[in-house]
Structures are given as C-alpha cells and as structure tokens.
Amino acid sequence: MFNLFLNENMKIYRRARTWMLVVLLVLTTIAFLVAQQYTVKPSQVASSDWRTNVQQQITNDQKMLDNLGTNTDRKPRLEARVKLNQYHLDHNIPPTDQTLWGNMLKASSLVMVVTVFTVIIAAESVAGEFSGGTIKMLLIRPTSRSKILLSKYLSTLVFSVLLFVILFISAFVVSGALQGFQDVGVPYVYASSDGILHESNIIQQAVSTYLYSSVQMIMIVTLAFMISTVFRSSSIAIALSLVTMFGGSSIAGFLAQYNWAKYYLFENTDLTQYLTGTPMIPGMTLGFSVTVLIVYFLVFNVLAWVVFKRRDVTA
Amino acid sequence: MWAFFQWIFMNIWYGLTLNRVKRLFQGGNDVSTPIVQVRNLTKRIGSKTIIDHLNFDVQRGEVFGFLGPNGAGKTTTIRMMVGLIGITEGDVLIEGQSISENFERAIVHVGAIVENPEMYKYLSGYQNLIHFARMVPGVTKDRIEEVIRLVALENRIHDKVRTYSLGMRQRLGVAQALLHKPSLLILDEPTNGLDPAGIRELREYLHGLTREAGISVIVSSHLLSEMELMCDRVAIIQQGKLVDVQSIKELIKEGADSQVIFEVDQMELARKLLAQEPVVDAQEKAEGLLMVLDREQIAEVNERLVQGGVKVFGIQKVTQTLEEKFLQLTGGEQIV
C-alpha cells in the first residue's frame, strides 16, 4: 500500500506540469496581495499611522449613530465597531486589517485557487491512466483495485495539503514583505454576537480561517475524483467539478429561502456560519452540517470505488 | 576418506540446489498440470455473447498462439485472463489459482503486455520499471538492472519514454512484464506496429525465453505468417467460439502432406508412364506434374519415371500454408 502511494506521488511530482501549478499558485498569491495593498481602502486613506485612522473611523461611526433616527437595524453593528476600535486604541493593539495578518486573512480566499489546481490533479489521476492506456499495465499487478484507487485518492489529498501549506507560507511572506513583520505578534480582537469583545491568538485565527475554507475544497476535489473515475475523462471531471463549485456556491444564497435546501451541499460547506451564530437556513446546526458533509463525502467515494472496482477495462 | 565424504556431500548439495532451481522455474507447482486452464470461459454483454464457452489448456514451456480475425474475441479473452474484464461464466486458472476468485495469487505468475505497451511517457524508462517493480513484492534493484540489460536498454533507460522509438517501447514493455520472473507471459498483438526486423527480434527473444527460462507464452495475433513462426500450438477462434486447437506442425501437415510436384523434362511421356499406375492421378502444372502421393509412392513414381527415360530435375512437397488451412477451418472468412 505504501509502495502504491509512492508510485502515485512519483506520477504527480515527476511531471513538469505539477510544478508549473505550484509556481502559478505563488505568483497568484503575490499578484493578489499586491493588488489588495494598492487598492484604495476608503476608511484607511488618511494616514499611515493606524491610530489616526481608527480615531477617524470612531468619529465617523459616532456621527452616523447620531443621525440614525428610526433605522435601528444598523445600530448594534455600529456600536460594536466603535467599541472595538476604542479597545484597539486603549490597549495599543493595531487592528488586524492594518497588519500583515489582515492580508493573510484576505488571501484565504485563494484556497479556491488551490481547489482548482487540485481538481486538475485529481481529474488526471484516474482518467489519465485510461486515456494514456496505462490503466492496463496498472491493473494486471497483484494488488487490489481498491488499494490502487485509495492510493490515488490519498496522494491527491496530500497534494492539496502541499498547495495549502505553500499558499499559507507564501501569503505570510508576501504580506510581511508588503506590510512589515513588526505586528506579527498582535492579538486578534473581535466582537462576538452578544457584543462582548474577545482577544485571541492571531495565528490560530489565521490557521482556522484557512482550515474552514478547506472544507469546500475537500468536497470539490472528492467530486472531481469521482467524476474522473466514473467518466474516465479528465476534461469532463475538471469542467463539471469547477462548474459545480462556482455555480453551486453562487446559487446557495438564493436557495437558502427554501427549507429543503438545507440538504444542499453548498449550504453546508461554510462552517463559519456557526461561529457568528447565524446559519444559512434557520434550524441548521453544526452537527447537521457535518452529517450532511459526511454523507456527500461517502456517496462520492463509494460511487467512485464501486465503479472503479467493477469496470471492464477496454481502453 | 575425507575427500570421498566431501565428494558425496557436494553431490547431494548440488542435487538439492538443482532441484530448487528447477522448481523455481516451474513456479513451485506440479509440473504435470497445465499452467493455464481455461474452463467454459464466457463473456456476455447484455444479451450479446462475445465469448462463448472457451475451453483449452496451455502447457508449460510452450508458445501458445491465439489466432482469429479482428473482432473474433482474442483481446477480450486475453483481458479476461488477466482480470481486466469481468468473467460472466466459467473461469481461468493460472498455476491452479482462479483469476476471478484469487486474483492476486493468480496474476503474480503473469507478465503481460495488453495491446500496445503503454508506459508513462513523462517518466523515464527506469522510473516506469521502478513503478511496476514496487507493485510486486520481491523485485530488487539488481533484478531491474538485469532486466534492463536483457532488453538492451542500458543506454537510454534514464531518458523519458516520450523520446523512445516504438521498438524501444516494446522492449521496455517486455522488461516490465519480466520484472517479477513470471512463469507465464501474455502478449496481445505484440507485433502490432513493429517493423520486420523488430518482429524477428521479438520472435527470437520469445523462443529464447521459453527454451532457457522455461516460461510459457501466450500470444495473440491476426497475422498467420507470424504465428506460424512463433508458436508451438495455436487456438483458432472465430466469433467468440473456439474453432480448433492444434499444434502448428499438425496444422500445416494434416491432409496436405502428400501433394508432390515432379519437375520433369518430358511432360507427355511422364504422363503416359504414370497412366499405367492405378493410384496416381497426375495433373499438369506450370512447375511440373502434381500428384497426391504418400511417402512410399514418391519413391516408386520416381523410379518408374527414371526407368522410363524421363529426367527428373526435382521432387517437391507442396505444403498447405497455415493461411489456406485457416481459411478452410473458418469457412473462408478472410483475415488480415
């Protein structure tokens, strides 16, 4: 089994294409963060010193609170922000979005790029053996088909972890280069839904943000792997799973008005909805979402396994 | 005295080692059982029967051919034998192990190239061999080097397979099939895309394998002339059914061994002389007189002709080619 895993890794990392994806990921991270840095942010233009900016924001928010009138919806949010900013000033803690960590957290949306690249590798993993005819060579060895499929799946997941780590490290280095590393140790301050302020470890916060966004990645990669196995075509697998990812998540908001949509995959992939306490559809709980995710995960994998095990190889 | 004991001891020791070596070559199994037993092998897809109750054995150390027109079911049968395609009914036993029930224990005796030897083009030849070596227990680095030398790829083994010629890919294919010292080699259409030199090289190589290493070989082909040179026995299949299993010698000899052409100077005189013989029915052909004779009669006819004053320049047996035989067996369906 370990040998099979080594084989699959050899087939991934001995290809120039794989390393092109890695380089592309680093370049995308750099481009993304540079663009973020030099895009004008309305609330922060005033000064390079964060204290001035925060003071300015407090003044603005207070003005807005005074003029709010009957519109009370926004009141709690504005009050929380004032409180938070005041805390930053009182304790001399720069707000996260003015340190390198702000950029780090924004770069977590690049997990989507990691997903796309891993989908490419996942799609090629099984379908590539069929289109190249090497599947015949692979399946006439004294090894069960299940083990071969498992080693392919595991090596794909390990590749996604590699890209994930590369994204995290390069985002950290680039953010630091742009904003300086002096604020690397600041705590993360946030207001929970009841308006109470909390301080937490910023590294823990960054890692968990990245990990939360990896839930959707694992589901999409598993989907791509399944399609690759069932259709034996890497292009179909790439196209279908990316359409599912972009299309599927964009209609999640629309579908949220229907109660049955809580069984829909993309209502459940964002687990951060339970941190803020406002789930996509009322009545959903963390346990419910995790169960739905596990069911989808098992269905994808079992389908791939059954098809792969029974397939007549005529390629 | 000591020398005598030593001599006896040495003899016993050598005897044991020899036996062990022999057993190794024979795959550790009973020599008398066929290496492959195909029993009622059937493949149905939907209501269509593609392979219909095939039964045959392959003996140890023979080159067994699989002959049939395109679409007859050769490739399907071979794919069922190596577990790439599921078996609807019946079974294939390799070294006594069922390929459908005991896949891993059966396939470990098999080295195979199914159709083209497709390797990972983006890897080097050596990495390809490492890849397949890892999938079978007990293949050492030394064995890999040995196989590379055997197929004469030492100079190019670290180049990417993408840069290989077809002949080199074929050799790399043979190398991966031999890595784990299989007792059965299965080659599906191995001569496809090879030039005549390559085919000859492969043929000599296969003969070498069966003679020296005692490996059994199953080859499929639609090229009769090739099979004639390569195989000891052939199974002829047509539309998924086994038409016949025969040794090449029998196949060529049978029913056709007595057509003889006499090349003579005076055709008319010869005919007149032979007309007196009741059993001989001579036909005039461009090359000479053609008649159907057994061994003894050839000598008699020759004697009569010479005594009658006819000069005999040559006596030639006309053997029926495998192709003619094949057409006869399959009812005239054209192949190739």
Side-chain angles (χ1 to χ4, degrees):
Chain A
M1 183 66 208
F2 184 67
N3 276 342
L4 296 178
F5 180 68
L6 288 181
N7 276 346
E8 294 310 322
N9 281 342
M10 178 167 75
K11 284 183 266 184
I12 293 175
Y13 302 110
R14 293 280 183 180
R15 278 189 105 155
R17 193 187 56 187
T18 306
W19 296 104
M20 275 159 56
L21 293 180
V22 170
V23 170
L24 206 56
L25 175 67
V26 174
L27 292 180
T28 311
T29 311
I30 294 172
F32 176 84
L33 287 174
V34 168
Q36 284 290 328
Q37 180 76 4
Y38 295 107
T39 305
V40 179
K41 298 163 205 162
S43 63
Q44 316 172 351
V45 280
S47 165
S48 60
D49 180 29
W50 64 269
R51 286 173 199 84
T52 327
N53 294 338
V54 168
Q55 193 59 63
Q56 183 64 43
Q57 200 177 30
I58 292 176
T59 320
N60 288 349
D61 285 347
Q62 225 105 46
K63 235 181 257 166
M64 245 190 272
L65 275 173
D66 293 342
N67 302 331
L68 217 48
T70 52
N71 188 358
T72 49
D73 287 359
R74 296 182 61 196
K75 202 175 165 199
R77 255 189 58 217
L78 284 170
E79 278 173 343
R81 191 153 80 185
V82 170
K83 217 164 136 191
L84 192 62
N85 279 331
Q86 198 57 53
Y87 187 89
H88 280 293
L89 282 178
D90 294 349
H91 293 78
N92 197 22
I93 300 167
T96 309
D97 61 358
Q98 308 228 354
T99 69
L100 76 162
W101 291 107
N103 278 353
M104 271 297 278
L105 294 180
K106 281 181 200 130
S108 75
S109 60
L110 291 179
V111 168
M112 201 178 278
V113 179
V114 172
T115 310
V116 175
F117 289 175
T118 311
V119 159
I120 293 173
I121 297 295
E124 188 67 12
S125 181
V126 179
E129 301 270 3
F130 278 95
S131 60
T134 46
I135 189 76
K136 296 176 299 194
M137 293 284 183
L138 197 64
L139 296 186
I140 55 168
R141 314 286 150 179
T143 314
S144 74
R145 289 189 182 193
S146 313
K147 281 186 193 165
I148 289 174
L149 192 70
L150 182 62
S151 61
K152 282 186 171 298
Y153 183 66
L154 289 181
S155 64
T156 306
L157 285 189
V158 168
F159 178 71
S160 76
V161 171
L162 174 83
L163 287 189
F164 205 80
V165 170
I166 287 173
L167 170 67
F168 195 85
I169 292 173
S170 56
F172 179 77
V173 171
V174 176
S175 302
L178 290 170
Q179 304 233 332
F181 288 100
Q182 69 274 10
D183 296 325
V184 72
V186 297
Y188 179 70
V189 185
Y190 63 99
S192 56
S193 52
D194 50 10
I196 296 168
L197 294 181
H198 303 270
E199 247 185 56
S200 75
N201 186 321
I202 184 68
I203 296 172
Q204 198 185 325
Q205 176 65 26
V207 169
S208 70
T209 305
Y210 277 76
L211 285 183
Y212 274 118
S213 51
S214 74
V215 171
Q216 175 169 318
M217 177 182 82
I218 288 173
M219 299 308 293
I220 295 294
V221 167
T222 308
L223 175 73
F225 193 78
M226 185 269 282
I227 298 173
S228 162
T229 308
V230 172
F231 290 92
R232 287 164 295 160
S233 155
S234 48
S235 42
I236 288 181
I238 293 171
L240 263 184
S241 44
L242 292 190
V243 164
T244 309
M245 176 169 76
F246 292 115
S249 50
S250 64
I251 60 167
F254 166 74
L255 287 178
Q257 57 188 301
Y258 306 109
N259 188 50
W260 52 261
K262 64 184 178 194
Y263 300 106
Y264 180 59
L265 174 63
F266 291 99
E267 306 288 354
N268 296 287
T269 45
D270 179 17
L271 293 177
T272 54
Q273 57 183 304
Y274 301 109
L275 293 185
T276 52
T278 47
M280 302 276 282
I281 298 168
M284 282 167 66
T285 62
L286 180 63
F288 173 82
S289 280
V290 169
T291 311
V292 169
L293 290 173
I294 288 175
V295 169
Y296 272 96
F297 182 82
L298 287 180
V299 167
F300 291 161
N301 273 324
V302 167
L303 202 59
W305 176 64
V306 168
V307 169
F308 189 71
K309 205 156 166 54
R310 300 179 59 91
R311 157 99 59 218
D312 278 351
V313 179
T314 52
Chain B
M1 193 64 192
W2 265 116
F4 177 71
F5 272 123
Q6 256 177 353
W7 181 78
I8 287 182
F9 177 76
M10 290 278 279
N11 268 323
I12 293 170
W13 178 248
Y14 276 135
L16 287 176
T17 338
L18 254 179
N19 269 333
R20 210 175 298 159
V21 170
K22 266 188 204 158
R23 243 181 294 138
L24 259 179
F25 279 133
Q26 287 148 2
N29 280 43
D30 186 5
V31 193
S32 57
T33 56
I35 187 158
V36 179
Q37 296 162 277
V38 175
R39 295 285 172 264
N40 285 322
L41 190 65
T42 303
K43 177 72 183 177
R44 272 189 291 270
I45 294 180
S47 60
K48 204 164 166 251
T49 305
I50 293 165
I51 301 295
D52 196 0
H53 294 89
L54 294 191
N55 278 294
F56 61 87
D57 289 344
V58 179
Q59 307 300 330
R60 270 162 217 289
E62 77 172 336
V63 180
F64 188 87
F66 234 35
L67 193 57
N70 287 328
K74 298 180 302 261
T75 298
T76 309
T77 308
I78 282 186
R79 284 177 188 235
M80 282 199 280
M81 293 175 75
V82 296
L84 286 176
I85 290 184
I87 295 172
T88 312
E89 201 186 311
D91 207 351
V92 175
L93 303 179
I94 297 167
E95 296 278 15
Q97 302 283 353
S98 156
I99 197 82
S100 51
E101 280 159 33
N102 248 333
F103 175 73
E104 286 162 52
R105 279 208 269 169
I107 203 73
V108 77
H109 302 290
V110 179
I113 304 177
V114 181
E115 283 178 316
N116 305 315
E118 274 126 347
M119 311 297 265
Y120 300 100
K121 293 190 179 70
Y122 50 87
L123 298 179
S124 72
Y126 191 76
Q127 286 163 346
N128 268 287
L129 291 182
I130 291 272
H131 178 276
F132 294 118
R134 278 184 187 144
M135 299 186 77
V136 192
V139 180
T140 59
K141 283 251 156 78
D142 288 344
R143 176 61 187 168
I144 295 175
E145 297 293 340
E146 193 182 329
V147 170
I148 292 168
R149 275 195 305 277
L150 202 66
V151 296
L153 275 176
E154 300 99 315
N155 295 329
R156 297 288 306 279
I157 198 68
H158 291 289
D159 294 352
K160 293 238 188 285
V161 172
R162 193 182 287 120
T163 66
Y164 283 17
S165 71
L166 194 62
M168 290 166 68
R169 284 179 200 190
Q170 200 87 30
R171 264 141 66 199
L172 188 62
V174 171
Q176 64 77 27
L178 291 175
L179 272 178
H180 53 296
K181 300 186 182 171
S183 49
L184 173 68
L185 201 57
I186 297 180
L187 307 170
D188 188 15
E189 302 274 356
T191 55
N192 257 4
L194 283 185
D195 56 12
I199 293 177
R200 209 182 123 187
E201 194 184 318
L202 183 74
R203 187 199 312 143
E204 279 163 10
Y205 187 67
L206 288 185
H207 276 151
L209 277 178
T210 52
R211 305 253 152 81
E212 285 149 35
I215 291 181
S216 314
V217 183
I218 298 179
V219 275
S220 83
S221 178
H222 60 276
L223 291 174
L224 288 157
S225 50
E226 269 316 308
M227 297 299 256
E228 204 170 335
L229 293 169
M230 256 190 246
C231 304
D232 300 318
R233 287 199 305 152
V234 288
I236 297 169
I237 55 171
Q238 192 189 17
Q239 292 173 353
K241 290 197 176 100
L242 194 64
V243 179
D244 205 356
V245 182
Q246 274 183 325
S247 84
I248 283 282
K249 276 184 211 135
E250 276 171 38
L251 198 60
I252 295 169
K253 199 173 68 184
E254 189 185 82
D257 59 341
S258 43
Q259 285 198 8
V260 184
I261 282 189
F262 278 77
E263 199 188 334
V264 294
D265 62 342
Q266 302 169 68
M267 203 75 98
E268 276 311 301
L269 180 57
R271 288 194 67 161
K272 232 178 264 173
L273 285 168
L274 294 176
Q276 297 158 15
E277 292 278 322
V279 286
V280 180
D281 177 26
Q283 292 171 299
E284 225 170 290
K285 296 268 166 167
E287 308 95 313
L289 284 174
L290 176 77
M291 51 201 108
V292 180
L293 302 170
D294 68 25
R295 206 175 146 83
E296 281 301 310
Q297 285 174 319
I298 296 172
E300 284 165 21
V301 167
N302 186 38
E303 194 181 349
R304 181 158 292 262
L305 287 175
V306 174
Q307 280 177 349
V310 178
K311 281 185 179 166
V312 178
F313 301 119
I315 307 172
Q316 214 174 1
K317 261 193 186 176
V318 184
T319 51
Q320 196 182 9
T321 62
L322 190 52
E323 189 152 4
E324 289 164 39
K325 180 71 188 173
F326 183 83
L327 291 175
Q328 189 188 319
L329 278 170
T330 59
E333 185 172 318
Q334 195 56 52
I335 58 163
V336 181

